[in-house]
């Protein structure tokens, strides 16, 4: 059911925890399954120098959080904004169809953290981040 890559990141997740001096924090939840993802970003000179997460949820939610933080660490904000849930799924070698919504949660958690970062800078986040679907209700692939 799960790829080797998903199992690797589920059994040995990277970047778990909090960043004490994070300057971008975002939390999103899935109203259907109750899973919650909290993302902490440390951004310096437009670069994401550190990313950590706390996820209360399924194996896919943990694996997608783990690989998503790996994909954005060391990258400019612009790259993180471009990170789609499809890119996260591809990096994991795929997810079962009914677990695709878990990768949406990771994408939205990063966007929520970046929105918080922009707000702290006194910048309207919607100009850069756009709309955040916090409860994942738009996702029709969730069978749970
Ligand atoms: Fe809810 Fe995976 S995020 S089941």
């Amino acid at each position: 059911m799960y790829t080797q890559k998903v199992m690797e990141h589920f059994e040995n997740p990277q970047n778990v925890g909090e960043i004490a001096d994070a300057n971008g924090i975002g939390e999103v939840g899935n109203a259907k399954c109750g899973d919650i993802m909290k993302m902490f970003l440390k951004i310096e000179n437009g670069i994401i120098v550190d990313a950590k997460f706390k996820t209360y949820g399924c194996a896919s939610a943990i694996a997608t959080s783990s690989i998503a933080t790996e994909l954005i660490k060391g990258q400019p904000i612009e790259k993180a904004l471009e990170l789609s849930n499809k890119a996260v799924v591809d990096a994991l070698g795929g997810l079962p169809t009914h677990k695709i919504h878990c990768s949406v949660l990771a994408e939205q958690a990063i966007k929520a953290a970046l929105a918080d970062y922009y707000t702290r800078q006194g910048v309207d986040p919607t100009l850069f981040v756009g709309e955040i679907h916090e409860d994942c209700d738009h996702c029709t692939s969730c069978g749970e």
Side-chain angles (χ1 to χ4, degrees):
M1 174 172 168
Y2 288 123
T3 65
Q4 184 66 32
K5 199 81 175 166
V6 172
M7 292 311 294
E8 273 172 34
H9 279 270
F10 170 54
E11 288 172 354
N12 187 24
Q14 307 297 301
N15 309 310
V16 175
E18 298 184 14
I19 300 173
D21 59 346
N23 52 3
I25 300 173
E27 183 173 318
V28 292
N30 184 325
K32 290 193 179 89
C33 64
D35 289 350
I36 296 172
M37 191 178 295
K38 192 165 185 179
M39 188 70 63
F40 300 84
L41 301 178
K42 176 74 180 166
I43 299 170
E44 288 173 2
N45 300 319
I47 305 290
I48 298 170
V49 295
D50 201 6
K52 288 194 187 301
F53 74 93
K54 281 185 160 180
T55 292
Y56 302 93
C58 69
S60 300
I62 290 165
T64 53
S65 310
S66 171
I67 200 146
T69 51
E70 287 288 275
L71 289 170
I72 63 170
K73 261 171 66 169
Q75 297 295 321
I77 293 175
E78 293 74 22
K79 280 279 179 210
L81 283 170
E82 286 172 7
L83 184 74
S84 65
N85 76 298
K86 185 179 181 312
V88 174
V89 172
D90 287 349
L92 286 171
L95 277 177
T97 307
H98 70 289
K99 288 291 176 185
I100 296 293
H101 75 280
C102 313
S103 63
V104 175
L105 208 54
E107 177 196 318
Q108 296 301 313
I110 289 170
K111 287 199 164 79
L114 290 171
D116 178 54
Y117 169 76
Y118 279 120
T119 301
R120 291 178 194 223
Q121 310 300 312
V123 177
D124 178 2
T126 57
L127 297 174
F128 301 95
V129 182
E131 192 182 347
I132 295 170
H133 303 281
E134 291 200 359
D135 60 7
C136 203
D137 268 352
H138 65 297
C139 179
T140 55
S141 63
C142 181
E144 299 178 25

